[in-house]
Amino acid sequence: NGWQLVGYDGKDLTGKTYEGVHMDEKRIVHRNDRIFIKAGNGYQMIDNTGKVYSKHTYEDVRLFNDTTYAAVKINDLWGFIDKKGDIVIEPQYEDARSFSNGFAAVKVEGLWGYINIEGQMVIHNEFVDTKEKAYRGKYVPREITEGYVDMISGWYRTSRTQKVTGGFYTCPLFLADGETIRVDRQGGC
C-alpha cells in the first residue's frame, strides 16, 4: 500500500513506494517538476525521477504555483524554498501560500498580507482571509466582508456597499455596489 510515481504509460518511474503525497485543494500533487512526499511526520521534496531535493523534512507544505518559491513549514513557522530545496525566505510567518505572479500571501499577527519575491511586505497584513489563486483571489480586509484584489491589475472589486477605512488603504473610501478602486502594489489608493 502506498503511492508510486507512474508515467503516462502507467509504468512505475522510480521503483519506490511512498507513504503519501501532498495534494492541493484541486487534488493536484505535481507542479514545477516537484512533488512533496510523506516522510515520517513530514514531507520531503522529490522530482519525477524520485531524486530527493529536500535538505529538511517539512512539517507542512504548499505546492509550487509557478517557477519561483513554495511555502514550507519548519519549526512551526512558514518560509519559502526554491526548486533546489534551498531556503530563500527564512521561516517567520504564522501561515503562508506559495508565490504566484511575484507575490505570496503571508499571515502575521493573525492577519494576511503580501510579500514580494525579495520577502518585502508590499501589501500590509490587514486581511482576515486569503485564497490561493494564480491571478486573483479573495483577499478580505478587516472591514470588508467580500470582494477581491486582482494582483495583476491592482484593482479591488466589491459587490456590495461598504465603508473602507485605514489599514490597507491610506485614505478613507466609500464603495458603492459594484464599484472598483485601484490599489497600488504598496497598498495605497
Side-chain angles (χ1 to χ4, degrees):
N1 290 332
W3 290 76
Q4 292 180 306
L5 297 178
V6 295
Y8 290 109
D9 58 4
K11 292 184 181 175
D12 186 354
L13 296 174
T14 66
K16 299 176 184 174
T17 301
Y18 304 99
E19 337 173 11
V21 296
H22 177 74
M23 192 178 304
D24 73 7
E25 67 278 354
K26 296 176 188 168
R27 303 188 60 77
I28 295 173
V29 299
H30 180 272
R31 279 200 199 111
N32 202 11
D33 189 36
R34 295 295 182 264
I35 302 162
F36 289 101
I37 58 160
K38 188 79 172 142
N41 292 329
Y43 295 91
Q44 289 187 321
M45 184 173 62
I46 64 171
D47 67 10
N48 61 5
T49 68
K51 179 179 176 184
V52 176
Y53 282 86
S54 301
K55 295 180 170 79
H56 302 276
T57 297
Y58 311 110
E59 297 163 32
D60 202 355
V61 295
R62 309 269 192 254
L63 294 182
F64 285 90
N65 283 325
D66 57 24
T67 59
T68 56
Y69 308 144
V72 295
K73 187 176 184 181
I74 301 172
N75 296 325
D76 290 325
L77 293 173
W78 288 85
F80 296 89
I81 60 169
D82 63 13
K83 198 173 168 177
K84 297 179 288 188
D86 294 329
I87 295 174
V88 292
I89 298 175
E90 289 293 326
Q92 58 191 292
Y93 305 104
E94 297 165 25
D95 202 349
R97 303 288 182 259
S98 294
F99 274 86
S100 181
N101 295 309
F103 296 96
V106 294
K107 193 173 193 180
V108 178
E109 298 176 359
L111 295 169
W112 292 90
Y114 293 85
I115 60 172
N116 63 17
I117 206 81
E118 289 83 32
Q120 301 164 326
M121 186 73 77
V122 293
I123 298 179
H124 296 285
N125 57 319
E126 288 290 325
F127 301 99
V128 294
D129 191 20
T130 184
K131 300 292 181 204
E132 198 171 328
K133 300 273 185 171
Y135 295 101
R136 62 177 60 139
K138 182 179 179 187
Y139 312 112
V140 187
R142 269 186 235 178
E143 296 185 36
I144 295 178
T145 57
E146 62 184 55
Y148 65 87
V149 174
D150 182 331
M151 297 300 284
I152 301 299
S153 70
W155 286 94
Y156 177 81
R157 292 175 170 80
T158 183
S159 59
R160 42 190 252 201
T161 303
Q162 304 168 47
K163 180 180 177 184
V164 182
T165 58
F168 179 69
Y169 303 101
T170 57
C171 55
L173 301 166
F174 291 86
L175 302 179
D177 191 24
E179 187 177 347
T180 61
I181 57 170
R182 179 128 171 93
V183 179
D184 68 26
R185 302 257 182 197
Q186 285 71 43
C189 49

